[in-house]
Amino acid sequence: SILSSGVAAIMIALLFEPARRRVQRFVDKKFFRIRYNYRLAQSEFTQQIQRFYQISSLSRFVIEKLSELLMVEHMGLYILDKDDRWVLSAGYNVSEMDDMFKETLFDFGKRSESPLFAVNRFMEAGIKYESADNTISKQNTIALVVTLRIQNAPVSGFLVFGPKKSGLPFTR
């Protein structure tokens, strides 16, 4: 009968959903994770950045390399310009944030001991970070912010990351 066929189809779908999730997680890990030698990558990166003399080209290079490495939906590098305004120095698939949110990030950077500001659901357990207000982060589609400090400045810039394309949390 139609009713028994419908019930059977629903039961099968419910039983196979956990298996489908496990297979999806495996595929995401296989295709969205890169295995690399950290020491070699750091050495190569250090050598490559020595050729840059302008902050704009260095910013674009950093964003390009980080987007290849982390495979996030979007990211941006914000720095203070000479007029003490936050500007998007370089970005990948990101739009300009409103000034109020930039000031919120700046205030966080000044008062926080941790350089990381993140939304809980995007972070692996065991990583130390300051929890973000989910409504602000959801509104701006931000998963993780890394505060940049140069010399004695409270905050010189910040890297803003969207969620990973794989849907997996940020790890160590």
Side-chain angles (χ1 to χ4, degrees), residues 68-139:
E68 288 173 12
L69 188 64
L70 298 175
M71 295 190 179
V72 293
E73 291 177 8
H74 53 272
M75 65 187 305
L77 173 60
Y78 290 85
I79 59 173
L80 278 173
D81 68 4
K82 58 187 169 213
D83 299 322
D84 283 341
R85 289 178 299 157
W86 290 106
V87 293
L88 179 62
S89 180
Y92 164 75
N93 202 23
V94 68
S95 57
E96 185 68 47
M97 290 188 296
D98 63 61
D99 290 337
M100 189 170 162
F101 188 69
K102 290 181 210 173
E103 287 304 315
T104 301
L105 294 178
F106 179 68
D107 291 341
F108 159 77
K110 284 193 309 188
R111 69 176 163 73
S112 178
E113 293 290 319
S114 172
L116 300 178
F117 177 61
V119 177
N120 296 336
R121 72 178 186 273
F122 295 118
M123 298 300 287
E124 180 181 69
I127 297 176
K128 294 184 181 184
Y129 63 93
E130 189 161 327
S131 183
D133 177 3
N134 284 329
T135 56
I136 290 175
S137 299
K138 188 181 284 186
Q139 173 188 350

Side-chain angles (χ1 to χ4, degrees), residues 33-74:
R33 288 219 177 180
I34 299 173
R35 292 188 185 271
Y36 52 90
N37 180 330
Y38 284 105
R39 289 187 182 116
L40 179 62
Q42 181 182 13
S43 174
E44 289 174 355
F45 184 77
T46 303
Q47 290 173 356
Q48 290 174 337
I49 64 172
Q50 290 175 2
R51 66 185 172 145
F52 294 101
Y53 297 101
Q54 294 180 334
I55 192 73
S56 59
S57 55
L58 176 61
S59 298
R60 284 191 300 275
F61 173 76
V62 167
I63 292 296
E64 178 184 311
K65 289 298 179 186
L66 285 174
S67 66
E68 288 173 12
L69 188 64
L70 298 175
M71 295 190 179
V72 293
E73 291 177 8
H74 53 272

